[in-house]
Amino acid sequence: MTAALSTLAAETGTIRKKWKDRLPVALLYPNTYPVAISNLGFQLVYSLLNRDEGVVCERFVYPADGQPLRSLESSRPLADFPLVFGSVSFEHDYPRLAAMLAAGGLPAYAAERGQAVGPGDPLVVLGGVGVFLNPEPLALFADLMVIGEAEPILATLMQGLSEYARTPRDRLLHHLAASLPGCYAPGFYRFSWSDTGAVEAIEAPAQLPQRVAKVVAPAMERAAHSTLLSPEAELGMYMVELGRGCSRGCRFCAAGFIYRPPRLWSAEAILHALAERPPTVDRIGLLAMEMAGNETMARIAGVLRDQGCALSFSSLRADRISDQTLELLAASHLKSVAIAADGASERLRLAINKGLNEDDLLTAAERLVQAGIFQLKLYVMIGLPTETRADLDELIQTVGRLQARMLPIGRGRGRVSSLTLSINCFVPKPWTPLQYCSFGGLTAPAAGAAGIDAALLALKEKIRYLRRMLSAKANLHLKFDHPEQALQQAAYARADRRIGPVLLAVGAGESFKRACRRLRVDPWQFAIRPRGREERMCWEVVDQGIRPGYLWEEYRKALRGRATDPCEPAVCRRCGVCDARP
């Protein structure tokens, strides 16, 4: 019995139904159980599906080595399900998704499935932020993709899919893609590419939209929150979503663009979600905490304090740390807090529109240590466009000044303050102004293998330099990611459907480099080849509502070091998403 199955009995709120007279749906999450059970989107879709009395949904997670792929609820094989849904969040999960379809005994590619939909030859529907961002890397595996947020579309989609047994696959897919918003049937769309590897044309049948508009959830009466809890969860807490998107418009961050307009749930909706917390769970994780206003945070902090709950989160924004937040952090007995600086220097932070100066970082560190949090983490990216050795030198100086602020406070209280510097390679993402950049930060990269080698070498040299300059500092811990893994992520992020065979090979255990070489897929095309203003991106088969040219304008502003004001949906019309709003 897998660890996931043994843990199931400890979950709170697990939904169990009998199969008789119900529509069976398998819901896949292509990562391990601790990661899957910590994903709020996966939980949300599971709850929405099982809320329908005519549906029985069972979950599948990526199995441990040597374990069979079976559902968590009843240990059924994947081949028992006529409908297979997949929730995809991260690029590194793409090969796992392909591997799960193959391990379940299903035809991995949609083109290999027959016209009769049923167990063993199911309809495969993919969604999640990974699909929302760029559906094309997984296009060969999906019969249908849901572009956008699940709440507005899922119930209607299930009504349409209820006809699967009486309708040939192509006819069913065509009907759904033509009649439901956010439904993309990639098999009907034809891509062609130029000699340079750029998309030359995207052709769709006359009855289907040329571009598939995202679906956006309305304002919530009750914020999304944990419905399943497990002691094996990677994030062992009750999670509550404070909103979606971000108004800051950081130029590297996809969430700030694909979730436009940014939406902050009301304090009442958030408190309603907090009220659903099981009384035995006292650690609360707040998602999108940087969006919440001071008044909302004060109300949340008051409720958590009165209920004796501790607060947790992924990272803090250095210029948004209120007195109420500090009080709650101190009462939560957190061992560490993370601050995302993202850019190594103030110049780079301006270029990426982060909006933080060094004084913001120093003041935040000082206030956090004074509140009793003696272990701080600082997240920084290397390989951003225009980055130079001078930017890295400024980071080294900033680290020294942070320690100079932190250490005396800790010593005065008989504690050792420590700083962890987490260095990650920048990965260009679709639907961001930096989607035009080359991975590795090179301004004029060579083509093919030479360009890949140069990009990896540039990143490794920066890592060596930072390690050499910082490793002797006391109470400083350094963490670096691996440029080769970041390269793989960068290739997946901007890939089109030509990457599909590589995903299947990597999912089967072949190395990324060898799979690309054997299948004659050049990762340089996706990860490193620079993009120009007029190039059509494969992910533009999706319509995020952003007006043509806006992202390029923001990219040019990044290169000139010019900031853009935060998004204000009530009055702002810069990017085009809110043009149709009253």
Side-chain angles (χ1 to χ4, degrees):
M1 206 176 192
T2 66
L5 290 173
S6 65
T7 302
L8 185 63
E11 290 183 359
T12 301
T14 299
I15 303 168
R16 297 172 183 267
K17 292 181 180 178
K18 294 182 179 179
W19 277 44
K20 186 178 180 181
D21 299 324
R22 290 188 172 94
L23 185 61
V25 178
L27 179 59
L28 278 58
Y29 192 87
N31 212 313
T32 60
Y33 178 81
V35 177
I37 199 63
S38 298
N39 186 276
L40 197 57
F42 182 59
Q43 292 194 31
L44 175 65
V45 172
Y46 179 65
S47 297
L48 289 173
L49 287 170
N50 274 313
R51 193 176 296 170
D52 186 339
E53 285 300 318
V55 173
V56 55
C57 176
E58 300 194 8
R59 297 164 297 162
F60 289 75
V61 299
Y62 193 75
D65 289 343
Q67 298 292 338
L69 180 67
R70 297 278 180 162
S71 73
L72 300 185
E73 282 71 16
S74 65
S75 195
R76 291 178 182 269
L78 190 58
D80 281 1
F81 293 81
L83 300 178
V84 173
F85 283 26
S87 179
V88 186
S89 300
F90 307 106
E91 290 90 355
H92 284 302
D93 289 342
Y94 295 174
R96 296 190 188 99
L97 188 281
M100 291 177 76
L101 295 176
L106 310 181
Y109 295 132
E112 297 174 348
R113 298 174 198 136
Q115 285 299 307
V117 177
D121 208 4
L123 198 78
V124 176
V125 182
L126 301 183
V129 67
V131 170
F132 189 4
L133 187 60
N134 179 10
E136 286 308 298
L138 294 171
L140 296 184
F141 304 98
D143 292 297
L144 192 70
M145 292 173 155
V146 176
I147 307 299
E149 300 168 57
E151 293 95 335
I153 188 65
L154 200 54
T156 307
L157 175 61
M158 293 310 299
Q159 291 177 4
L161 290 175
S162 66
E163 298 296 318
Y164 79 88
R166 294 182 291 276
T167 310
R169 185 184 305 269
D170 282 352
R171 190 191 305 170
L172 177 61
L173 290 173
H174 192 281
H175 170 72
L176 294 172
S179 61
L180 295 184
C183 287
Y184 173 45
F188 293 127
Y189 289 71
R190 296 290 175 262
F191 284 67
S192 58
W193 295 272
S194 69
D195 293 340
T196 66
V199 173
E200 203 165 58
I202 305 174
E203 299 177 12
Q207 301 88 346
L208 299 185
Q210 294 297 306
R211 302 180 68 197
V212 180
K214 67 178 179 182
V215 288
V216 179
M220 302 287 181
E221 294 183 1
R222 179 180 286 101
H225 58 277
S226 296
T227 54
L228 298 171
L229 298 165
S230 167
E232 289 192 22
E234 185 180 60
L235 304 177
M237 64 189 75
Y238 180 81
M239 294 178 291
V240 176
E241 182 185 67
L242 304 191
R244 291 181 188 169
C246 179
S247 63
R248 293 284 180 165
C250 295
R251 293 175 176 133
F252 64 90
C253 178
F257 292 89
I258 66 171
Y259 283 107
R260 292 193 172 199
R263 288 148 290 157
L264 178 65
W265 309 142
S266 68
E268 287 71 23
I270 296 166
L271 296 178
H272 285 157
L274 286 171
E276 300 289 326
R277 171 185 64 88
T280 57
V281 179
D282 60 4
R283 181 160 292 278
I284 308 298
L286 299 181
L287 306 182
M289 196 170 82
E290 67 278 2
M291 289 181 63
N294 289 337
E295 182 178 342
T296 297
M297 277 307 302
R299 291 185 63 181
I300 294 172
V303 169
L304 296 183
R305 184 173 54 248
D306 293 344
Q307 296 181 357
C309 292
L311 176 65
S312 188
F313 46 86
S314 57
S315 66
L316 277 175
R317 189 174 168 91
D319 60 350
R320 292 290 301 273
I321 303 176
S322 65
D323 292 339
Q324 294 91 344
T325 302
L326 282 173
E327 291 174 9
L328 189 55
L329 291 176
S332 299
H333 305 293
L334 289 178
K335 294 181 180 180
S336 66
V337 166
I339 297 173
D342 294 318
S345 68
E346 195 162 318
R347 183 189 71 83
L348 285 176
R349 289 191 290 276
L350 181 61
I352 62 177
N353 212 42
K354 184 69 180 180
L356 292 178
N357 57 41
E358 186 182 76
D359 189 59
D360 292 326
L361 301 175
L362 297 177
T363 301
E366 187 173 25
R367 295 182 71 196
L368 289 167
V369 176
Q370 286 173 342
I373 300 166
F374 296 100
Q375 299 176 28
L376 298 186
K377 298 178 182 178
L378 187 69
Y379 293 135
V380 176
M381 292 182 289
I382 58 172
L384 285 165
T386 77
E387 184 178 76
T388 66
R389 177 66 62 87
D391 297 306
L392 302 185
D393 288 338
E394 185 175 324
L395 173 62
I396 294 166
Q397 295 166 7
T398 299
V399 168
R401 286 191 273 268
L402 282 168
Q403 289 190 302
R405 292 278 189 102
M406 295 167 53
L407 293 175
I409 301 172
R411 291 193 196 103
R413 301 185 182 184
R415 298 287 299 273
V416 176
S417 300
S418 68
L419 177 66
T420 297
L421 180 61
S422 179
I423 304 290
N424 302 283
C425 300
F426 162 66
V427 172
K429 294 296 183 78
W431 292 111
T432 68
L434 300 191
Q435 68 180 4
Y436 301 98
C437 299
S438 296
F439 171 75
L442 303 179
T443 55
I452 291 174
D453 290 343
L456 293 175
L457 179 61
L459 292 169
K460 290 176 180 179
E461 286 180 343
K462 291 175 181 180
I463 290 172
R464 282 194 292 267
Y465 179 69
L466 290 172
R467 195 185 296 278
R468 184 171 74 250
M469 300 300 292
L470 292 169
S471 59
K473 287 184 175 289
N475 304 315
L476 176 66
H477 307 283
L478 300 175
K479 290 186 176 180
F480 298 94
D481 69 354
H482 299 288
E484 289 84 0
Q485 292 182 2
L487 169 70
Q488 187 172 337
Q489 182 187 4
Y492 293 161
R494 294 194 297 185
D496 52 49
R497 56 185 66 186
R498 291 175 293 179
I499 201 75
V502 173
L503 298 179
L504 193 59
V506 173
E510 192 170 356
S511 75
F512 174 72
K513 185 175 182 179
R514 181 175 179 181
C516 287
R517 185 170 60 245
R518 178 176 63 83
L519 295 165
R520 297 182 180 179
V521 173
D522 186 359
W524 178 87
Q525 281 284 349
F526 305 128
I528 297 177
R529 181 176 62 80
R531 270 69 168 167
R533 176 176 186 167
E534 302 304 323
E535 178 169 342
R536 187 173 188 180
M537 310 297 186
C538 66
W539 48 88
E540 290 178 5
V541 71
V542 171
D543 184 4
Q544 302 284 2
I546 298 173
R547 67 171 174 81
Y550 177 75
L551 295 177
W552 178 262
E553 293 164 12
E554 282 293 300
Y555 173 55
R556 300 303 297 174
K557 288 177 72 174
L559 297 182
R560 296 194 299 268
R562 293 177 54 193
T564 296
D565 292 336
C567 179
E568 297 183 64
V571 296
C572 168
R573 295 297 182 270
R574 285 189 303 266
C575 73
V577 172
C578 295
D579 282 348
R581 293 164 60 89

